[in-house]
Amino acid sequence: MSPEPDGEPPLYRYRFGNVEFDETRFELVVGGLTVELEQKPLQVLGELLRHVGEVVTRQELLERVWAGRPTVDNVLPNAVTKLRKALGPAQAERIVTLPRLGYRLNGPVERIASGRRLASRLQLAGAQAVPHRPDWVLERQLNPSRASEVWLARHARTREPRVFKFAGDGERLAMLKREATLYRVLLESLGERDDLARILDWNFEAPPFFLECEYGGDSLPAWAEAGHLAAQDRAGRLALFLAIARAVAAAHGVGVLHKDIKPANVLVAPRGDGSWRVRLTDFGSGRLLNPERLAELGITRLGLTLTQALDADTSGTPLYLAPELIAGQPPTVRSDVYALGLLLYQLLAGDLRRPIAPGWEAAIGEPLLVVTIAAATDGDPERRLPTASALIEQIATLDGRRADAAQARAREARLQAAEAGLARSRARRPWIAAATAALVLGLGATWWQYRAADAARDEALAQAALASETIRFLNEDLLGGGRSRTATIAYDRNPSLRELLDAARGRLDGRFADAPLTEAGIRTTLGRAYRTLGDHATAEQQLRRVTELHRLRLPPADEQRLLGEYDLVTVLVRLSKFDEARARLDEADALAGPRRDSLGELGLRAKLARGAYHFQRLEVAQALQAYTAAEAIQRVVQPDDVPLAAHIRLTIGDASLRLGNPARAEAIAREVLAGDPYSEDNVGLSTLASARRLLGNALRNQGRPAEGIPHLERAVAEQERARGPDDQATIAALSSLGYLHSLVGDVQRRAGIQREVYARAVRRWGEANQYTLVERINLGDAEHEVGRLPVAETHLRAAVEGLIVTSGEGSSLVDAARFSHAGVLVALGRHAQALAVIERIEATRLAGASADARGDGKLAALRGRALLGQGRAAEGRAEVERAIGLLRAEGQGEAELAPLRALVGPGGEG
């Protein structure tokens, strides 16, 4: 057929079998029923139909459908698979795959001309009547996009302005339909809102298709080019941004993602009172997080498929696309937050085309806003601000945050004045000056907080006396090593920080009987200091007393009272007192309500307590979520607390390692070891040793145990120097070192190390503590490796029984102990017992108990060995072959799989 006079090809309706595809509407009908399918598979079908009976190469399809830029691997085969499924078994056979070449659709196919594709500019022009709307006249084009043309039109008689968004063919019709559908969801869920552009009508019957919209003003770039943005001060720009962000947050609240937030999709119009009205527009790239919402609202799913809510795609404007979208991950609320953060930066910088590039902070100046923008545009979505509402809160509370910062500066000045009174004591104890300074700062901060709480009740004179008494306590009892002018005991040497804490603690009882909240503040700091030293039992005594004092003087939902509860929880979990910890944590969360998610001290401590509870329970995914949220809050409310930042960062690394991401763990460890801000002066030698331990373990999990051994050896030496031989951090590093020696084949050395580890653990915690029982598992594994099977079985059976008591039947640690116990039982030939133990193990819990994330494969391999040992050859072989496949998928190398292949003989494969 010859082309049309203007050179544009016709559009067709194709029929084959019970299938009909209309290019004009871009609709697929199978067996008389319309099939909802994404655009890309339909475009592939269109290309195959235009070349029926011919081979269309892979490269041709990628160029025509994806413009040569596929977003993820296997995107073409995935699209063909979806297409075949939509066509049904009978017609799917028409699509033939030619390996390494392409695809062909076999005929016969009937085609009927159904329309004509308009020229590139849709053949629209000013002063022309709007197609299908003769009373409206086109005035000027506003903003062409990749899928449509947007025109301003006016009513022929009234001159009322209206906006028409046109699409010339069915291929782009779906975007208009999607926008109409999402607008109906917003309208039905939120009602009429002044900050969302209104869609009044649409034409989806014949080309050119269009949406008819209320005129909402100039686009943000056009408004800025007119000089209005430059005329706004910082407060005005922030107000403008808040209006945009609140519209996005409202959409998120009913499950609608925008996915193309950018200046061109923001409309600005004067209100008449000198202010500006903002409207968000163009949801054509949007997504519905809960497609079931359409049925609830009685809305037809126009332009939306069931899978589009979560499909990965990179539609949107590249500059504003979050990194995870470019990497092929599905859109989320956080990807919209990224675009909002960039837009906030551009508004404040006064340049709507400026990307975030190194040195961007200079254009903002104010530290609080820099922190907010950085949190919103973090390249890692897990560290990014979680919601638009969280971003709004940071901007809306900026004045309060500025006041808090000013108070903090004033508080620091008062603390410096207090420190002047302690200079003589520092001079007497110069070697502990750095450690004590940190403690004094903590005491000063908590003292100031509690003084503020008492201020409403006490007079200024009483406060002055209290301040004098507090400084005297710091001077004589803490820095003076427990010596007052009447004391008869004096140190003949420089005491350790631990000795100073003990001396101060011993003289605290009764010292502040008339000021219980001040006593609570001092005990809070002492408790945190003992916790830092690893003495969780003494920390518990101090922090438990804090909660008792709080309950006497503060109402249940008071912030200071809740902070005390969260502090106590972090110590209780270290002592395996999980039931009490969970009860206190749940009660505190309930009393805190929404404040537990706030960007403040309470939100931070709530997340840290929740993370510590889950981590000690080895509920690693929940722990990672809590610590990630804590990190986002810490960066805002305590950005200068480097030790806390390092603790959170390393815990995130450890959790990532346990969840199968050793590369991320390695990167975090190296980040902390790289120096400033994580220097030894800032975070202490023990923290750096913990980072070395994480690095060694991360290298181990990437198949490089020999590289990890020097890092672990140094970690052990540094922890012994910083904390002593029996500290938990030292014991953990030594245990990790032993395991690496096992992996390089030195099992005898590993066994010797692990015996020492277990002896230290018993000295430190006793036999019934969770930490000791974990090291007993490791000892049982080590004895197994060197062939002392009865000894290993005794240790592992005792570990299972002890952990059921301390951690509960559903604990990951119990499953880890059972796994090791079953392995020894197999080695002892007690296969029936081993299988009975294996059946009680849950694979995902097993993976969470260790840092190698191979629960399914490991469990299948052990089960296979037990079945083979019982003589159940067919079942055992099948299970071992399944294990090989699982372990290979989980990253095991061929050398590691060789022992399993030997069990099933030649040809064994997963």
Side-chain angles (χ1 to χ4, degrees):
M1 174 179 254
S2 62
E4 295 292 310
D6 61 1
E8 295 299 330
L11 299 173
Y12 294 98
R13 181 183 299 113
Y14 296 93
R15 290 178 183 154
F16 55 96
N18 66 342
V19 176
E20 182 175 309
F21 176 61
D22 188 340
E23 278 190 309
T24 305
R25 297 173 177 274
F26 227 62
E27 290 180 349
L28 178 65
V29 176
V30 179
L33 299 176
T34 301
V35 177
E36 294 288 351
L37 191 62
E38 298 97 315
Q39 291 296 296
K40 298 304 183 186
L42 289 178
Q43 288 176 257
V44 170
L45 176 59
E47 291 297 328
L48 295 176
L49 286 168
R50 291 183 199 110
H51 302 86
V52 64
E54 303 174 7
V55 175
V56 184
T57 68
R58 294 172 53 86
Q59 188 59 39
E60 288 171 335
L61 288 170
L62 290 173
E63 287 291 340
R64 295 171 187 171
V65 177
W66 284 273
R69 298 187 300 274
T71 56
V72 294
D73 293 338
N74 297 320
V75 65
L76 177 55
N78 290 341
V80 173
T81 298
K82 293 177 181 180
L83 178 57
R84 283 173 169 150
K85 184 176 180 181
L87 294 177
Q91 302 306 319
E93 295 179 354
R94 290 176 176 260
I95 300 178
V96 179
T97 302
L98 287 84
R100 297 183 297 277
L101 185 57
Y103 300 89
R104 181 181 66 240
L105 190 145
N106 290 332
V109 172
E110 175 188 357
R111 71 177 189 177
I112 303 170
S114 60
R116 184 170 57 83
R117 193 185 306 271
L118 294 179
S120 60
R121 288 294 180 182
L122 301 179
Q123 299 180 340
L124 300 174
Q128 173 185 328
V130 174
H132 314 294
R133 293 291 189 272
D135 291 337
W136 294 87
V137 178
L138 296 174
E139 183 172 289
R140 59 186 170 89
Q141 190 171 354
L142 298 175
N143 180 41
S145 72
R146 61 187 173 85
S148 61
E149 289 185 14
V150 182
W151 282 77
L152 175 66
R154 292 188 182 275
H155 194 275
R157 286 182 289 104
T158 66
R159 306 301 295 163
E160 175 191 351
R162 194 158 288 183
V163 173
F164 289 84
K165 182 181 294 187
F166 294 97
D169 54 42
E171 184 174 330
R172 292 168 174 80
L173 171 61
M175 293 192 70
L176 298 187
K177 287 184 175 181
R178 184 184 308 136
E179 184 170 0
T181 299
L182 293 179
Y183 175 74
R184 290 194 61 195
V185 171
L186 295 171
L187 182 63
E188 294 292 336
S189 303
L190 301 172
E192 292 279 0
R193 288 182 62 97
D194 201 39
D195 53 5
L196 295 175
R198 298 185 179 98
I199 298 176
L200 306 175
D201 200 358
W202 50 74
N203 163 48
F204 297 154
E205 298 302 319
F209 310 104
F210 60 76
L211 296 177
E212 184 177 347
C213 309
E214 183 180 29
Y215 178 69
D218 290 333
S219 69
L220 185 57
W223 178 82
E225 288 174 9
H228 299 302
L229 178 59
Q232 299 293 311
D233 59 13
R234 174 157 288 185
R237 297 180 190 192
L238 288 173
L240 196 75
F241 173 78
L242 282 175
I244 300 168
R246 285 177 177 132
V248 174
H252 287 176
V254 295
V256 175
L257 296 181
H258 189 284
K259 241 190 105 289
D260 195 17
I261 297 169
K262 60 182 179 181
N265 287 335
V266 176
L267 305 178
V268 188
R271 289 188 182 276
D273 59 358
S275 64
W276 299 95
R277 182 193 65 204
V278 170
R279 282 181 173 169
L280 187 64
T281 187
D282 197 352
F283 282 82
S285 295
R287 291 291 182 269
L288 190 61
L289 292 174
N290 301 301
E292 298 81 5
R293 184 94 175 120
L294 295 175
E296 295 173 7
L297 297 173
I299 296 173
T300 303
R301 187 185 291 111
L302 296 175
L304 283 172
T305 69
L306 285 172
T307 59
Q308 276 179 326
L310 297 177
D311 273 356
D313 95 48
T314 56
S315 61
T317 304
L319 177 61
Y320 300 87
L321 287 178
E324 66 271 15
L325 296 184
I326 297 173
Q329 297 180 27
T332 65
V333 166
R334 291 175 191 250
S335 51
D336 272 1
V337 170
Y338 179 90
L340 280 174
L342 177 54
L343 182 56
L344 172 60
Y345 166 68
Q346 292 174 329
L347 285 170
L348 293 176
D351 184 351
L352 298 179
R353 292 181 293 273
R354 180 182 295 190
I356 284 189
W360 64 267
E361 299 89 347
I364 304 303
E366 183 171 355
L368 290 175
L369 285 172
V370 168
V371 169
T372 295
I373 294 170
T377 59
D378 197 304
D380 185 346
E382 295 180 354
R383 298 203 306 260
R384 194 176 304 148
L385 288 178
T387 63
S389 296
L391 177 55
I392 291 168
E393 181 181 4
Q394 289 207 18
I395 301 301
T397 60
L398 189 59
D399 288 342
R401 293 164 61 205
R402 287 167 176 155
D404 289 343
Q407 285 183 341
R409 289 191 293 270
R411 185 161 65 249
E412 184 176 355
R414 288 194 294 271
L415 289 172
Q416 290 173 351
E419 281 196 22
L422 305 175
R424 182 175 301 173
S425 294
R426 281 203 183 92
R428 290 199 306 267
R429 311 282 189 226
W431 68 276
I432 61 164
T436 306
L439 184 59
V440 171
L441 285 174
L443 282 166
T446 51
W447 166 52
W448 181 84
Q449 291 169 354
Y450 285 103
R451 188 177 68 181
D454 283 339
R457 297 183 296 276
D458 300 327
E459 296 179 357
L461 187 60
Q463 288 298 325
L466 179 59
S468 175
E469 180 66 11
T470 302
I471 291 177
R472 183 182 170 196
F473 172 80
L474 293 172
N475 195 7
E476 295 180 0
D477 293 278
L478 179 61
L479 293 177
R483 294 187 299 171
S484 69
R485 282 170 292 185
T486 60
T488 59
I489 299 176
Y491 289 106
D492 59 3
R493 57 179 174 80
N494 283 330
S496 67
L497 180 59
R498 171 60 188 261
E499 289 170 328
L500 291 177
L501 291 172
D502 288 345
R505 174 170 56 91
R507 298 177 63 82
L508 185 56
D509 290 340
R511 188 70 175 266
F512 295 96
D514 295 332
L517 293 182
T518 299
E519 178 183 346
I522 293 173
R523 288 191 186 276
T524 294
T525 301
L526 291 175
R528 290 177 178 177
Y530 280 115
R531 180 179 63 191
T532 300
L533 291 174
D535 186 351
H536 298 107
T538 306
E540 180 198 5
Q541 296 171 5
Q542 295 302 305
L543 296 174
R544 192 178 291 279
R545 178 58 180 157
V546 169
T547 63
E548 293 168 355
L549 292 169
H550 283 169
R551 292 184 181 223
L552 289 174
R553 295 295 298 268
L554 297 174
D558 181 85
E559 180 167 331
Q560 293 303 323
R561 178 166 167 175
L562 294 174
L563 288 172
E565 295 292 334
Y566 287 132
D567 269 332
L568 180 57
V569 166
T570 64
V571 171
L572 292 174
V573 296
R574 292 282 189 168
L575 297 170
S576 302
K577 297 182 179 182
F578 295 114
D579 290 343
E580 181 185 358
R582 182 60 185 261
R584 285 181 178 270
L585 183 58
D586 289 345
E587 180 183 8
D589 279 353
L591 290 169
R595 291 180 295 163
R596 67 177 180 269
D597 297 316
S598 65
L599 286 170
E601 178 75 8
L602 188 62
L604 175 61
R605 296 296 166 181
K607 298 303 182 190
L608 289 173
R610 180 66 63 178
Y613 174 81
H614 286 305
F615 200 90
Q616 295 303 315
R617 296 282 294 173
L618 289 182
E619 297 161 350
V620 185
Q622 297 98 310
L624 179 59
Q625 182 180 11
Y627 275 104
T628 299
E631 184 175 52
I633 298 173
Q634 178 265 325
R635 290 181 174 189
V636 174
V637 303
Q638 293 186 13
D640 298 326
D641 193 337
V642 181
L644 178 60
H647 163 69
I648 295 173
R649 203 86 188 99
L650 291 174
T651 307
I652 288 174
D654 200 351
S656 300
L657 184 67
R658 293 173 182 274
L659 292 173
N661 193 348
R664 185 185 187 198
E666 179 185 357
I668 288 174
R670 293 191 186 279
E671 173 190 341
V672 173
L673 292 169
D676 191 56
Y678 303 113
S679 64
E680 183 177 340
D681 288 342
N682 287 340
V683 301
L685 182 61
S686 178
T687 296
L688 297 182
S690 296
R692 296 190 200 285
R693 178 186 175 228
L694 177 62
L695 177 56
N697 289 337
L699 292 170
R700 174 198 72 198
N701 279 23
Q702 295 178 80
R704 297 147 61 190
E707 291 181 50
I709 287 176
H711 296 291
L712 264 299
E713 289 175 338
R714 184 172 175 183
V716 171
E718 289 177 345
Q719 291 291 17
E720 287 183 337
R721 189 160 74 250
R723 295 287 195 92
D726 291 346
D727 185 81
Q728 177 186 344
T730 308
I731 293 171
L734 189 60
S735 182
S736 294
L737 175 60
Y739 185 40
L740 263 66
H741 280 297
S742 169
L743 293 178
V744 298
D746 195 348
V747 296
Q748 293 294 341
R749 187 169 185 183
R750 190 263 175 112
I753 290 175
Q754 195 57 47
R755 291 170 193 141
E756 173 64 20
V757 166
Y758 182 64
R760 293 187 187 188
V762 172
R763 284 199 304 269
R764 176 64 190 268
W765 298 298
E767 292 186 349
N769 182 273
Q770 174 178 283
Y771 292 105
T772 306
L773 291 166
V774 168
E775 296 305 341
R776 196 163 192 180
I777 298 174
N778 294 332
L779 178 57
D781 288 340
E783 300 289 11
H784 183 181
E785 286 181 330
V786 296
R788 302 180 68 199
L789 298 181
V791 174
E793 196 275 332
T794 299
H795 282 305
L796 292 168
R797 178 163 31 85
V800 172
E801 294 168 354
L803 286 166
I804 290 174
V805 175
T806 62
S807 306
E809 180 62 55
S811 167
S812 296
L813 291 174
V814 173
D815 277 359
R818 282 184 171 139
F819 179 82
S820 293
H821 188 213
V824 172
L825 291 172
V826 169
L828 287 168
R830 293 154 61 177
H831 301 108
Q833 283 182 264
L835 286 170
V837 172
I838 290 169
E839 292 309 312
R840 303 186 68 179
I841 300 173
E842 206 277 317
T844 55
R845 289 202 303 261
L846 176 63
S850 65
D852 62 12
R854 294 172 177 169
D856 286 314
K858 289 168 54 177
L859 196 58
L862 183 58
R863 185 184 291 110
R865 292 178 186 273
L867 290 169
L868 289 171
Q870 264 199 325
R872 297 158 66 179
E875 295 175 75
R877 181 185 174 91
E879 193 68 2
V880 171
E881 289 179 339
R882 188 172 77 89
I884 291 172
L886 289 169
L887 291 170
R888 185 194 295 112
E890 292 165 358
Q892 287 257 21
E894 292 303 315
E896 297 170 295
L897 297 175
L900 289 177
R901 295 189 185 283
L903 291 175
V904 295
E909 185 63 40

